Amino acid sequence: MSACVPTRADEPRREEHSHDPHSPPTRPRRPHLAGADVSASIAVFLIALPLSLGIALATGAPLQAGLVAAAVGGLVAGRLGGAPLQVSGPAAGLTVVTAELIQRYGWRTTCAITVLAGLAQLGLGLLRVARTALAVSPAIVHGMLAGIGVTIAVAQLHIVLGGIPHSSVLDNLRELPAQMVRVHPAALSVSVLTLALLVLWPRLPGRAGKLLRKVPTPLVAVAVATTTASLVGLSLPKVDLPSWSSHALATLPEGPVLGLVAAVLTITLVCSVQSLLGAVAVDKLVAGRRELSAQVERSDLDRELLGQGAANVVSGALGGLPIAGVAVRSSANVQAGAVSRNSTMLHGVLVVVAALLMVPILELIPLASLAALVMAVGIQMVSLHHIRTVTRHREVLVYAVTTLGVVFFGVLEGVAVGIAMAVGVALHRLTRTRITYDETEGVHHVHVRGQLTFLAVPRLSRTLHLVPRGADAVVELDGSFMDHAAYESLQDWQNTHTVHGGSVELVGRRSGVRIGEPTGPAGLQALTGAAADGTPDCRCHPWTPWRNHQCEIPDAALPHDGQPRDAQSAVTDGTTAPSDAASSDGTMRTTGPDDRTGEPDRVTGPGVPDGPHQLARGISAFQRNTAPLVRGELARLAREGQQPSQLFLTCADSRLVTSMITSSGPGDLFVVRNVGNLVPLPGRESGDDSVAAAIEYAVDVLQVRSITVCGHSGCGAMQALLTSEPGAAQTPLRRWLRHGQPSLERMSDESRPWTRLAGRAPADAVEQLCLTNVVQQLEHLRAHESVARALRAGALELHGMYFHVGEAQAYLLTEGHEDRVFDHVGVADLSA
C-alpha cells in the first residue's frame, strides 16, 4: 500500500499495544545485544586503546590513567549519558589543561580537581543549563580547539625528534632549533612511519584497499611501527605500565584556593562544551543515516551533562584523566553501525580486559609512535573547514584571537579573550551605521544602512542638514531597528523641512512603502505600511494569504488616464530575510514573491500596467533590498562553484515555489522543472535528453545525495492525461505527456494498491493520478544507469513528495516494510 504522509507536527503519535487489555501483562524483555553493537565496540576499542595511551603520554600523567579514563568513559558515561552513540574518554582537547595542572599541582591533586569538576558538571546538569553552553560562539569553540591542537603538535614534535617537551609553547618553539640538531634517528624514523601510515592508509585504492580501510587507521599505524621497531631492534623508550597495585589515586587538593577554583572551572568548561557539541554532532551523523534515525533517540543534553559529571567523578577518584565526548571515536561508532549505547559500554569492557591482560603487548609500543599519533590529532584540530566557515561568517578575528590566546596564555584565558572579542565584534556590528548622501536629477537622497541608534544620531543629523531648504528629499532606511532618539531626530528634521516648503519621502526596507505628504508621526507610520498620500495602501505580505496574490486598486484611486498615481503604492511591504532572499532553483520566472522581494506578481485593476513594468519594479526591489543581503553568499558560490545536496524534480506550475516549500537557499537544490514532473525512461525522450542529462549531471558530477520527485494538486498535465483522446493530433505537449502514460496505466491496474493520502482518500481522479505519478516517476528514475549505480553503492536516496496547493501542505512518501507503508512524519523526524 502506498500513501503520502503530511508533514504535520500537531498530531502526537500514540503507542499501540498489541496485547489484549484483559490478558496478563507481558514480561519485560531481556536486554538484547545486537551484533552491530558488538562489531562497533571492537572498532571503537581498537581506536581508543592507542589514543588513550598517547593522550596520557602527552599530559605527563601515568599511562594507566588513560586506560582508566577510557574504561570509565565507556561504562559510566555510556550508561548514564544522554547521547547513546557518543563515546567518551580522555580527549585531546583536555591535553594542554591537564598537562598544566600536573606541572603545577602534581598528579594526585589533578585527580581531585577532576572529581570536583565532575561534581560541578552534575550541578549544572541538575540546573538544566546544558543548552546554555551551546550559546558560545562556534568561532570561540573552534578557536579554543585549534589553540589546543597547536600546543599539542608543538609539544609532541619534541618527542617525535627524540627529545623531551617543555611546559610552555614559547619554550618549545624556542628550543625547537636545538632539538632538530640533536635529532634521534630511531625515534624520528618510527614517528615518520606512523605519520605516513596515518596519511596513506585511508587512501588505499581498489577493492583490496576498501577492505583494508575497515581496520582503524590509528591501530594500523601504531601496530606497524611497533612491529617494525621490534623486528629491527631499535633502541627506543617504550610504554611502561607499572603494577596496578602502585597506581596513584586522588587525594585532597593542595594549593591556593583561587588557583584550584580556576582549575576546576577550566576542566568543567572544556569538558562540558566539548561533550555537548559532540552530542549535537553525533545527532547530525545519526540523522544522515536513515536506518539509524528511526532507532536511535536524539540526545538529551542535560542527561549527557549528568553522565559526563558522574564519569569524571569516578575517573578522578580512580586516578584517571578527565573525560569528555570524543569526536573521532563517536564518529567511528556511528559509521560502524552501532544502534544503542551497548556499543559504548562494551568498548569500555574491552579496555578493562586489555588493561589487565595485554600489558606485555602494550609495553612494546614505542613512545615516539604514540607521540606521532597525538601530534597528528593536534594538527587535525586546526580544521581548514572551520577556518573557512568562520571566515564566511566574518568571525575569523574572533577565531584567531581565541587561538592565539589559548596558545600563549592558556585555555581559560584564551577563551575569555575570545569572548571579549566576540562581544566587541557584535557591538561593532550593532552600532555600525552607514549614512550616505547624494543628489540625482534634483532629488536629494539620504541612505541609512544598519541599525539606527542614538550613537548614529549626530552623523544622521549632519547628513540630513546637507539637504537644501525647500528641496525634494528621499530618506531610505535600511535596517531592522530604530531607537527613540533616532526617531525623534528624524521626525523633527522632517517637520522642519516640510515647513520650509520641502518634501520628504521616507522609504523603508519594506518595498514600495513611501510617504508623499509626511506629517510628523504619521509620516514615519508609513514605514509600517500606511500610505499618507491618499492612495490606498497595499498590505500584501510575502507568504501570507491574499486574494489571488493580487492587489486591486479601486477606480477612485486612479487618475483620469487610468494609471495609478504611484506605482509603488501598489507594492507590498514585506521585509526580505537574508536566508530567503534568493531563489535557489535557478529557474527563470518573474521577480515577485517567489524571490521574496516583497513585490506582488501582478497588480490588477482598471488600466494598471502589467508585464515588463511589473518585472522592472521587481528587479529594482531586488537590487535595492535583496542583493545587498545575498551578495556575499552568491560571491562565495561563484568562487567555489555549486555543491547542492539534492536534485529536486518538480512541475513547472507557477504555484510551486521550491525555495519556499523546502526552506532552501542559494546553492542548496539542483532543480529540474517540466510539465507534469515527468522522468522519461532512458532512451525514450526522442531527441530531447534534457531530463536524463540533468539526472546524469546531478548524480555523477555534482554527486547529490538525494533525488526528490515532487507532484502537486490540480496538476494540469495530469488533467490532460485523463482527458486525452486516442488518435488526437500529436502536438508537442501531447508528445511530452506520453511519458506520463505509465502512471495512468498504473492507476488503472486493479492488481496494484492505490496510492493514497494518510487519513483520507484522494479527492478525485486527478489527485489520485498526481499521487500515482510520483510513485511511477520514482521507478523511472531507478532505470537510469547513473541513479541505479549510485543506489547500489548506497550513495543516493530517492524521495517522493506531494504538495497540496490549496492546503499549503506538504506530504512525504516513505518506504515501508513489505509493500509501501507510509509512516507519519512528526516533528521529531523532521528535526533529526
Side-chain angles (χ1 to χ4, degrees), residues 239-264:
V239 170
D240 182 18
L241 295 174
S243 171
W244 285 101
S245 60
S246 60
H247 179 61
L249 302 179
T251 186
L252 291 176
E254 297 178 0
V257 175
L258 291 179
L260 293 173
V261 170
V264 171

Side-chain angles (χ1 to χ4, degrees), residues 140 401-407 409-419:
I140 296 175
V401 168
T402 306
T403 300
L404 294 175
V406 170
V407 169
F409 303 115
V411 174
L412 196 61
E413 294 85 352
V415 170
V417 172
I419 291 174

Side-chain angles (χ1 to χ4, degrees), residues 8 545 655-656 712-714 760 767 802-811:
R8 294 186 186 274
R655 297 167 295 180
L656 245 65
H712 67 97
S713 63
R760 69 172 176 87
E767 186 168 61
Y802 176 75
F803 185 74
H804 194 291
V805 177
E807 298 175 354
Q809 175 63 58
Y811 296 80

Side-chain angles (χ1 to χ4, degrees), residues 161-197:
L161 297 174
I164 299 175
H166 298 275
S167 58
S168 72
V169 179
L170 291 177
D171 291 340
N172 283 322
L173 291 173
R174 193 180 300 112
E175 295 296 328
L176 190 57
Q179 181 61 60
M180 295 181 72
V181 174
R182 301 190 305 269
V183 66
H184 192 291
L188 181 61
S189 60
V190 169
S191 300
V192 169
L193 177 60
T194 304
L195 292 172
L197 287 168

Side-chain angles (χ1 to χ4, degrees), residues 60-86:
L63 296 184
Q64 294 103 318
L67 299 177
V68 170
V72 173
L75 292 170
V76 178
R79 178 65 186 88
L80 302 178
L85 299 188
Q86 175 160 256

Side-chain angles (χ1 to χ4, degrees), residues 59-375:
T59 61
L63 296 184
Q64 294 103 318
L67 299 177
V68 170
V72 173
L75 292 170
V76 178
R79 178 65 186 88
L80 302 178
L85 299 188
Q86 175 160 256
V87 181
S88 301
L94 292 161
T95 302
V96 175
V97 180
T98 309
E100 183 180 352
L101 294 180
I102 294 174
Q103 289 272 345
R104 183 176 300 176
Y105 300 110
W107 169 242
R108 300 185 68 166
T109 297
T110 301
C111 291
I113 292 172
T114 303
V115 173
L116 295 175
L119 293 174
Q121 286 181 296
L122 288 173
L124 293 174
L126 292 174
L127 292 174
R128 307 185 68 83
V129 296
R131 289 280 173 189
T132 306
L134 300 181
V136 179
S137 169
I140 296 175
V141 176
H142 298 323
M144 177 189 74
L145 294 177
I148 292 172
V150 170
T151 306
I152 292 172
V154 173
Q156 297 310 298
L157 183 58
H158 282 268
I159 301 180
V160 165
L161 297 174
I164 299 175
H166 298 275
S167 58
S168 72
V169 179
L170 291 177
D171 291 340
N172 283 322
L173 291 173
R174 193 180 300 112
E175 295 296 328
L176 190 57
Q179 181 61 60
M180 295 181 72
V181 174
R182 301 190 305 269
V183 66
H184 192 291
L188 181 61
S189 60
V190 169
S191 300
V192 169
L193 177 60
T194 304
L195 292 172
L197 287 168
L198 289 172
V199 173
L200 299 177
W201 190 261
R203 296 171 173 80
L204 292 177
R207 293 184 178 178
K210 184 178 180 180
L211 186 64
L212 291 172
R213 288 198 301 268
K214 293 184 178 180
V215 183
T217 304
L219 176 68
V220 172
V222 174
V224 171
T226 300
T227 303
T228 302
S230 299
L231 292 177
V232 177
L234 297 177
S235 177
L236 289 168
K238 297 180 180 179
V239 170
D240 182 18
L241 295 174
S243 171
W244 285 101
S245 60
S246 60
H247 179 61
L249 302 179
T251 186
L252 291 176
E254 297 178 0
V257 175
L258 291 179
L260 293 173
V261 170
V264 171
L265 290 177
T266 304
I267 294 289
T268 303
L269 171 68
V270 179
C271 287
S272 301
V273 171
Q274 183 168 341
S275 299
L276 295 175
L277 293 177
V280 173
V282 169
D283 282 345
K284 294 179 181 178
L285 290 175
V286 171
R289 301 172 66 94
R290 284 185 73 183
E291 69 278 8
L292 282 180
S293 59
Q295 304 179 54
V296 181
E297 59 187 11
R298 287 178 63 82
S299 298
D300 181 341
L301 297 185
D302 291 306
R303 178 179 172 181
E304 178 64 17
L305 199 53
L306 290 171
Q308 295 292 332
N312 274 313
V313 170
V314 175
S315 179
L318 296 180
L321 290 170
I323 288 173
V326 188
V328 175
R329 280 163 256 181
S330 301
S331 176
N333 195 34
V334 175
Q335 297 299 330
V339 296
S340 72
R341 62 179 71 246
N342 290 336
S343 63
T344 303
M345 297 172 63
L346 186 56
H347 123 271
V349 173
L350 294 175
V351 171
V352 173
V353 172
L356 295 177
L357 303 181
M358 294 177 59
V359 172
I361 297 176
L362 297 178
E363 289 185 335
L364 296 175
I365 300 175
L367 296 183
S369 179
L370 293 179
L373 175 62
V374 177
M375 186 178 75

